[in-house]
Amino acid sequence: MVTAGSSAECDVGISGGRISQLGGSLRGRREIDAAGALVLPGGLDMHVHLSAPDAPQPGVPAWVDDFAAGSRAAIAGGVTTIGNMTFPRDGESLRQALDRDLAAAADGAAVDYVLHAVLTDPSAEAIAELPVLASQGHQSLKLFMMFPGFDTHADEMLAAIRIAGHSGTLTMLHCEDGALVRAASQRLLAEGRGGLANWAGSRPVLAERAAVERAVAICEATGSPIYIVHLSSQAALDSARRGQARGLPVFVETRPLYLYLTSELLREPDGAKYIGCPPLREPADVEAMWSGLADGSIHTLGSDHAPWSLQAKTDASLDVTTGRPGVADLETMLPMLFSAGVRTGRVSLSRFIELTSANPARLFGLYPRKGTIAVGSDADLVVLDPQLRRTIDGRSMQSNADYSVYDGQQVHGWPRFTVSRGDVVLADGEIVAKSGRGQWLRQGPTTMP
Ligand SMILES: [Zn+2]
């Protein structure tokens, strides 16, 4: 049994959905033999997309997983809590958008969840909702610096971040500068090089670095904690580190894409299947991400699970301004970090748990209910078998995406059992959870030191 701060060989007692006892000799109605395996706190993936930004339209491709499919992928991959990005649709308030996704999740989710409201239109009404939502336990907010509306409403966005911080809400920022990305994309199009093979050039590192510098300045100016989602480059990480070194609450997430893949893949014949925002980077950036995971300047790993069908993803009519970013990664995130990180010694097992469980729980106001194994905590556990070896095959995995960007990779270490609030939801590799059993989690303020 391992947590971020301790390990012991002991029995774990569960009663009423919570951890009731650690150690001693236990007898239970149901017993799981975890000999030879690691019992870890369930993973928290605070960056998933299981609801679409727009209402579905016939013939228009969309992300292919809902809360039910995403939950199955989570369970198979050892994730017991997810954080979904909830976009308001035309005319909806943030509260109305959250209510729509709360209803969808109540039907479909089989793991516990929080919803991050996405602020695209910082109207006076929307900003006024922030303290109210915080008092109702919705204490995270997502802003996209790359959307045109960020710069055209920069004053209001700054006010929203300030008010969010004062309400105990964590602001998640997508850090790519919109104008710099649009300029690079338009130049490629004008040069006749607008195909998806040039995706990396359409979203250069300088656009990410500039946005992260600005995010750090916004953090300093407002006093509000900032959570940078899916950071991808060495230059951007160095910008974040300079803010952290000054004692600013600048928190960093990276995603698996940037740990395992590089931009040369985008030029392969079906390279469009790898596209995300930011794009795949260079080998030195990959090394920088691993060093950030190890030294603590990167706090969490988030999958940014945003799956498409391979056909929608590689549609030849798309260009660098219309490409479909996002990949399926909920099921693969923890096993791959264990396999490529813990087994190789690049990150310790304790750091693995911080990155995938304890830190996201603290950042999003869920600790110690989530993120650890302690008496009184929710009994969210992963029994990870370090000997279990599988070759990734996206077609046979839980996501409705019919491929994985990691197809063919050998991964060593997978969940054998996943337990959510005391319910066994993965039993010897079989998913046994009912859709809708998941619960919404009331958040508190960030408690990350
Ligand atoms: Zn995302």
Side-chain angles (χ1 to χ4, degrees):
M1 189 277 293
V2 192
T3 69
S6 66
S7 68
E9 190 168 333
C10 69
D11 285 351
V12 178
I14 297 171
S15 172
R18 295 188 176 182
I19 308 288
S20 57
Q21 188 177 334
L22 294 173
S25 90
L26 291 166
R27 277 276 158 269
R29 240 180 317 132
R30 177 167 188 185
E31 296 178 6
I32 294 174
D33 179 3
L38 299 164
V39 179
L40 313 175
L44 282 81
D45 183 351
M46 288 291 103
H47 193 158
V48 304
H49 295 272
L50 303 178
S51 60
D54 304 305
Q57 292 171 52
V60 178
W63 291 322
V64 293
D65 285 345
D66 56 12
F67 283 100
S71 294
R72 289 195 298 275
I75 288 166
V79 170
T80 50
T81 303
I82 53 176
N84 184 70
M85 299 299 169
T86 293
F87 291 78
R89 295 178 182 168
D90 279 347
E92 278 182 340
S93 66
L94 298 179
R95 180 72 257 175
Q96 287 168 328
L98 291 169
D99 285 342
R100 174 172 44 76
D101 268 359
L102 284 170
D107 278 348
V111 294
D112 292 349
Y113 49 91
V114 300
L115 304 178
H116 313 300
V118 178
L119 185 70
T120 50
D121 174 14
S123 63
E125 295 77 28
I127 291 175
E129 285 189 87
L130 299 177
V132 181
L133 292 175
S135 72
Q136 294 166 344
H138 294 281
Q139 297 201 255
S140 47
L141 182 71
K142 171 82 180 285
L143 271 59
F144 288 79
M145 296 177 86
M146 68 169 181
F147 288 169
F150 190 88
D151 286 314
T152 57
H153 293 85
D155 294 351
E156 293 86 349
M157 290 293 187
L158 203 65
I161 294 170
R162 183 172 49 75
I163 288 165
H166 291 180
S167 309
T169 291
L170 181 62
T171 298
M172 310 170 79
L173 275 177
H174 178 129
C175 290
E176 287 184 290
D177 183 276
L180 293 171
V181 166
R182 287 190 294 279
S185 305
Q186 291 303 332
R187 195 170 64 210
L188 286 168
L189 278 177
E191 291 168 352
R193 299 196 298 132
L196 293 179
N198 292 314
W199 183 255
S202 75
R203 318 184 76 91
V205 166
L206 61 88
E208 185 183 31
R209 190 194 62 219
V212 169
E213 286 288 341
R214 192 175 177 198
V216 171
I218 290 171
C219 172
E220 191 160 7
T222 58
S224 300
I226 296 291
Y227 178 94
I228 298 168
V229 297
H230 52 50
L231 185 126
S232 68
S233 64
Q234 178 167 24
L237 180 58
D238 287 343
S239 296
R241 279 178 173 143
R242 285 193 290 274
Q244 293 166 358
R246 296 208 302 283
L248 297 173
V250 173
F251 302 105
V252 176
E253 169 198 282
T254 189
R255 68 171 157 174
L257 277 185
Y258 309 127
L259 301 178
Y260 308 114
L261 306 175
T262 53
S263 69
E264 63 185 2
L265 291 171
L266 294 164
R267 292 186 285 276
E268 289 187 348
D270 58 352
K273 70 184 182 187
Y274 300 104
I275 73 171
C277 300
L280 297 180
R281 302 295 197 191
E282 304 312 306
D285 298 303
V286 170
E287 284 312 305
M289 294 307 106
W290 281 104
S291 78
L293 293 179
D295 70 21
S297 53
I298 295 176
H299 301 82
T300 70
L301 197 59
S303 69
D304 200 358
H305 184 86
W308 303 88
S309 72
L310 185 59
Q311 192 188 6
K313 192 88 175 167
T314 57
D315 182 338
S317 71
L318 299 169
D319 64 36
V320 292
T321 62
T322 55
R324 300 189 174 114
V327 304
D329 224 338
L330 247 170
E331 186 169 346
T332 34
M333 182 168 77
L334 265 60
M336 286 185 73
L337 184 65
F338 184 84
S339 186
V342 178
R343 288 192 70 93
T344 60
R346 284 203 270 194
V347 296
S348 67
L349 186 55
S350 171
R351 180 71 81 188
F352 171 92
I353 295 165
E354 284 180 357
L355 290 162
T356 60
S357 188
N359 285 354
R362 286 195 175 96
L363 281 161
F364 291 88
L366 301 172
Y367 195 90
R369 178 175 176 189
K370 306 293 190 188
T372 191
I373 303 173
V375 172
S377 293
D378 281 358
D380 290 3
L381 304 170
V382 187
V383 178
L384 188 136
D385 183 347
Q387 304 305 329
L388 201 54
R389 196 189 309 229
R390 270 184 218 148
T391 302
I392 291 182
D393 172 16
R395 286 165 308 177
S396 66
M397 298 178 88
Q398 298 299 325
S399 168
N400 292 320
D402 44 3
Y403 77 105
S404 164
V405 287
Y406 313 111
D407 277 337
Q409 289 204 28
Q410 279 253 330
V411 174
H412 206 142
W414 290 86
R416 228 194 299 145
F417 292 87
T418 303
V419 178
S420 165
R421 274 181 288 100
D423 293 341
V424 176
V425 289
L426 183 79
D428 264 322
E430 289 294 311
I431 291 170
V432 290
K434 283 201 197 72
S435 292
R437 65 162 295 285
Q439 290 181 0
W440 173 70
L441 301 170
R442 186 184 181 90
Q443 296 170 259
T446 293
T447 57
M448 190 79 187

